[in-house]
Amino acid sequence: MLNVVVMVSGGGTNLQAIIDAVEAGTITNTKIAGVISNNKNAYALERAAKHGIPAACISPKDFEDRAQFNQKLLEAVDAFEPDLVVLAGFLVVIPPEMTAKYRNRMINIHPSLIPSFCGTGYYGLKVHEAALARGVKVVGATVHFVDEGTDTGPIILQKAVEVRHGDTPRELQRRVMEQAEWKILPRAIDLIANGRVTVEDQKTVIEEPTRSGQEAEMKVLIVGSGGREHAIAASAAKSPKVTKMYCAPGNAGIAEFAECVPIGAMEFDKLTAFAKENRIDLVIVGMDDPLVGGLVDELEAVGIRTFGPRKNAAILEGSKAFSKNLMKKYNIPTAAFENFIDPDAAVAYLETAKFPIVLKADGLALGKGVLICQNLEEAKEGVKTIMLDKKFGSAGNEMVVEEFLVGREVSVLSFVDGKTIKTMTSAQDHKRAGDGDTGLNTGGMGTFSPSPFYTDEVEQFCEKYIYQATVDAMAEEGRPFKGVIFFGLILTEDGPKVLEYNARFGDPEAQVVLPRMKNDLIEVVEACIDGCLGQVELEFEDNAAVCVVLASDGYPLKYEKGFAISGLEKFKEHEGYYCFHAGTKFDGDKIVTNGGRVLGVTAKGRNLREARENAYAATDWVEFGNKYMRHDIGKAIDEA
Ligand code: AMP
Ligand code: GLY
């Protein structure tokens, strides 16, 4: 943990940027131990108080001579036992004893590029007035170590900002703060906290992040209980690094790889206690609810390495209103939309809208909070269902109304480390319960991978306008995303657009994508946590996979449970065949059905057609009461 003392004279916007970055997790391994100001009225002191950070004020006015003040200032700094002193707009000359004592452990943010344009004696707005008076075309900010000179120490980071025609000093100052200072100061602290900055011959060397992942003997806990978690467990079990796996709560299939512990995915206290007691090295959160609820934050708070987005980033899935606004703000292609919190306003809008139109409950609704309405009457009924009757609970407090798009859907899952994104092979889901895409929406009745409609051209478009743009937008919003982003895409006549984001592996997408992945899943997951995904090359087998979901008849409405399942052992005898459990449990030593979606039968093949044949052949191997499946999973392949 890097103990940091921040020294400020004024408003403290740079201090705020550091506080925000620590809270958002953009700065890691860092604690703000204290704030020191020379000015009693500095607003920075209030900011510190608001965030419970101890602060001290040492004003030169309270001392008879400079030497006394210098001594007190140094004492105040020392009292916090800092590893790093950050001058974030501190307008007092640093005592030479302090410079000597904190050599290469004290940094300063300077609101211009040095040494190309500096000039000594300028601070605050004066820097920008001087820049404009000089007619420079580029300004910026610099973070550097403090040495005896004025802004002459080794430079850590710089960022340039262009001067615009007609800029006033204030406008320029604001842009330099927003675009440069508030970005590079937290970044520099993060680099130092993670041991990546060294000083040699008055120059800094910044190292690429190293992969801190453990070598071996890892204990892994997976959170969830469906086919996705079974696929994650099967993949993780192949890693030589893993010696012991747990799953909470798990199911009868996952039990082959992991010890299932009877803790629900939303029982955060029990999960953190279990992880601590059992010295878990890595937690992988599979499900959306705990992610959106902040399980990752809670585990990290007790020092457990966890794969998945924090609460402030999982909102990408947790609120459709948030994700739609994000796409609009950052020009990421998506359906045109309006958000509503007032049902009357929504109805008034729908009265002049074009049909069909799509209504979406803002929050999580088990993939069922989306209503496609053919006319005004249906739409009014939809507003009632979502916003008044609250069929999806508080998820319906806000509602998105969006344009109905026509096109093929593709699911693209990706690994993200906060900055870098690497996409996995594509897949396609079948959401409706019945053959020919009829019947109710479900969690997913089957998948195939890759999608033949996800061409190189489509991929290039998405790389240019969607994938990195989403990751950058989240970072820009102070919500760096680490984990899996699932892009629900629709390929329209006007190009690919984002239908939805999920903050986790898809289910059943994971059941066709993970079996085709050649990488060690644990290594990739650790690279995401450590922020060095750039060093990983994702590799997938050059084949195909199809998953057919075996459900209980009646799903997604009413269905029975508790039927004995036979034939599961056949999958052990065949390479390239998997039977992922979605809703099963042990009844004595028998395995019985325990959910709507019961099993995901996945098979690989050299191509999609062969994989489909293999998967359907394997659906005959297992039997249970009320077995139901779609017969046209992967039919779209024939149209490719
Ligand atoms: P979502 O939960 O947002 O993925 O929506 C569930 C399903 O509803 C999607 O997979 C689509 O089939 C359909 N859907 C959602 N939004 C739209 C839209 N704007 N136009 C057409 N279909 C949509
Ligand atoms: N198969 C869609 C989802 O996981 O949301």
Side-chain angles (χ1 to χ4, degrees):
M1 217 29 125
L2 188 84
N3 244 358
V4 175
V5 162
V6 186
M7 301 179 70
V8 210
S9 297
T13 55
N14 273 313
L15 168 66
Q16 191 65 49
I18 299 168
I19 294 173
D20 291 345
V22 170
E23 287 183 355
T26 353
I27 300 182
T28 54
N29 298 320
T30 299
K31 180 173 176 225
I32 309 177
V35 168
I36 293 177
S37 179
N38 60 314
N39 170 6
K40 280 192 219 27
N41 302 319
Y43 184 61
L45 294 172
E46 271 181 49
R47 293 189 198 266
K50 269 191 203 151
H51 292 268
I53 302 168
C57 177
I58 313 290
S59 164
K61 290 183 197 140
D62 298 336
F63 298 92
E64 283 182 2
D65 62 29
R66 197 73 192 183
Q68 256 184 356
F69 166 73
N70 283 354
Q71 194 192 333
K72 281 288 170 214
L73 190 66
L74 185 54
E75 277 173 23
V77 172
D78 285 347
F80 288 118
E81 300 184 353
D83 304 303
L84 181 73
V85 178
V86 177
L87 307 180
F90 191 62
L91 304 177
V92 173
V93 178
I94 295 299
E97 314 85 79
M98 195 164 139
T99 311
K101 182 161 184 184
Y102 287 96
R103 184 171 305 287
N104 297 341
R105 291 194 295 141
M106 176 156 53
I107 63 175
N108 179 43
I109 174 94
H110 185 78
S112 83
L113 295 174
I114 54 173
S116 60
F117 178 83
C118 49
T120 54
Y122 295 114
Y123 60 88
L125 198 60
K126 293 207 166 59
V127 179
H128 305 287
E129 284 168 356
L132 290 173
R134 192 76 75 91
V136 298
K137 301 291 181 232
V138 176
V139 293
T142 306
V143 181
H144 62 91
F145 283 109
V146 176
D147 65 6
E148 284 73 15
T150 305
D151 301 325
T152 53
I155 291 167
I156 304 165
L157 292 175
Q158 293 188 295
K159 186 145 191 234
V161 175
E162 264 183 60
V163 178
R164 289 189 194 145
H165 182 70
D167 262 343
T168 64
R170 285 226 174 270
E171 283 163 359
L172 188 57
Q173 180 182 42
R174 184 79 200 167
R175 274 215 318 290
V176 170
M177 287 203 246
E178 280 179 359
Q179 293 177 15
E181 293 181 47
W182 301 344
K183 299 230 156 79
I184 63 174
L185 185 57
R187 177 100 191 97
I189 295 170
D190 184 57
L191 289 173
I192 293 168
N194 289 292
R196 291 172 49 197
V197 183
T198 43
V199 184
E200 286 168 18
D201 299 334
Q202 277 292 93
K203 279 203 302 253
T204 57
V205 180
I206 307 213
E207 275 169 42
E208 275 295 292
T210 50
R211 295 167 67 174
S212 74
Q214 296 201 3
E215 277 314 301
E217 313 224 329
M218 288 176 71
K219 288 188 186 178
V220 177
L221 167 66
I222 297 169
V223 177
S225 60
R228 164 185 45 217
E229 286 74 25
H230 193 173
I232 292 171
S235 218
K238 289 192 289 184
S239 172
K241 293 179 157 198
V242 178
T243 45
K244 170 87 189 168
M245 210 158 17
Y246 297 93
C247 188
N251 65 34
I254 296 172
E256 182 191 337
F257 301 106
E259 185 179 331
C260 294
V261 288
I263 304 178
M266 294 306 283
E267 295 185 291
F268 291 5
D269 290 348
K270 287 190 186 164
L271 288 170
T272 45
F274 178 85
K276 273 204 304 195
E277 268 163 36
N278 292 279
R279 300 173 186 251
I280 298 297
D281 299 296
L282 172 69
V283 178
I284 301 177
V285 184
M287 287 169 73
D288 45 0
D289 281 310
L291 290 168
V292 171
L295 177 58
V296 174
D297 308 56
E298 299 216 5
L299 286 162
E300 283 183 351
V302 295
I304 306 277
R305 270 162 79 75
T306 307
F307 178 69
R310 291 186 178 171
K311 184 174 182 170
N312 74 352
I315 191 175
L316 189 64
E317 169 167 6
S319 167
K320 290 193 193 289
F322 170 87
S323 66
K324 294 296 292 189
N325 285 330
L326 186 89
M327 287 187 266
K328 188 188 250 178
K329 179 167 171 191
Y330 293 91
N331 294 317
I332 297 167
T334 189
F337 73 101
E338 291 288 334
N339 293 339
F340 293 94
I341 44 174
D342 172 12
D344 293 337
V347 170
Y349 175 85
L350 288 164
E351 273 165 355
T352 61
K354 250 182 35 194
F355 289 89
I357 204 158
V358 185
L359 310 187
K360 298 185 172 184
D362 172 55
L364 295 182
L366 294 169
K368 299 182 182 110
V370 174
L371 306 177
I372 293 169
C373 305
Q374 299 300 334
N375 51 47
L376 181 60
E377 206 172 314
E378 277 181 35
K380 281 183 174 165
E381 195 53 38
V383 174
K384 185 166 173 293
T385 307
I386 292 176
M387 301 191 88
L388 297 171
D389 301 346
K390 294 271 157 83
K391 176 154 176 229
F392 311 107
S394 61
N397 290 350
E398 191 165 359
M399 189 182 75
V400 179
V401 177
E402 76 175 31
E403 166 198 12
F404 177 77
L405 297 176
V406 179
R408 282 197 190 276
E409 290 182 44
V410 181
S411 303
V412 176
L413 315 187
S414 66
F415 290 102
V416 184
D417 74 354
K419 301 185 297 285
T420 303
I421 176 163
K422 299 259 163 130
T423 53
M424 300 175 226
T425 182
S426 61
Q428 183 177 322
D429 188 10
H430 297 66
K431 285 208 166 100
R432 299 294 201 92
D435 284 358
D437 287 329
T438 54
L440 293 170
N441 253 328
T442 70
M445 293 300 295
T447 39
F448 58 85
S449 170
S451 162
F453 308 104
Y454 187 68
T455 58
D456 288 348
E457 196 190 348
V458 171
E459 181 168 42
Q460 279 160 19
F461 179 95
C462 296
E463 278 170 357
K464 196 161 168 198
Y465 298 107
I466 295 176
Y467 302 145
Q468 190 67 48
T470 301
V471 175
D472 291 346
M474 290 298 282
E476 184 72 28
E477 294 292 308
R479 299 169 182 276
F481 192 105
K482 287 189 176 190
V484 171
I485 299 184
F486 166 147
F487 296 85
L489 304 171
I490 184 161
L491 312 181
T492 74
E493 271 186 354
D494 302 328
K497 297 191 180 182
V498 178
L499 269 190
E500 63 157 350
Y501 292 115
N502 294 314
R504 47 159 178 89
F505 287 101
D507 195 0
E509 282 88 342
Q511 302 181 44
V512 283
V513 169
L514 286 176
R516 297 185 53 227
M517 190 166 98
K518 290 192 197 169
N519 303 69
D520 180 328
L521 176 66
I522 298 297
E523 276 192 5
V524 181
V525 157
E526 293 210 286
C528 290
I529 296 173
D530 294 334
C532 47
L533 187 60
Q535 295 168 25
V536 173
E537 213 48 67
L538 286 186
E539 286 186 276
F540 287 84
E541 291 169 2
D542 183 19
N543 56 9
V546 169
C547 169
V548 180
V549 169
L550 304 184
S552 298
D553 198 7
Y555 172 74
L557 294 175
K558 252 181 79 172
Y559 49 85
E560 290 174 70
K561 300 182 193 177
F563 296 105
I565 306 171
S566 65
L568 291 166
E569 64 291 343
K570 296 220 179 60
F571 289 85
K572 294 266 157 310
E573 298 154 15
H574 295 86
E575 178 101 6
Y577 289 78
Y578 308 79
C579 185
F580 296 116
H581 294 218
T584 66
K585 69 168 188 185
F586 281 105
D587 179 6
D589 50 11
K590 277 193 328 227
I591 294 178
V592 300
T593 68
N594 190 40
R597 289 190 291 178
V598 178
L599 301 169
V601 171
T602 294
K604 291 185 192 172
R606 278 169 304 180
N607 53 45
L608 284 161
R609 274 168 229 264
E610 192 180 285
R612 182 176 59 185
E613 257 171 51
N614 293 346
Y616 271 108
T619 60
D620 286 339
W621 300 350
V622 268
E623 289 304 333
F624 55 85
N626 289 3
K627 174 174 142 184
Y628 170 83
M629 66 181 151
R630 270 181 68 163
H631 294 89
D632 60 349
I633 302 300
K635 185 154 186 284
I637 299 162
D638 302 330
E639 297 154 27

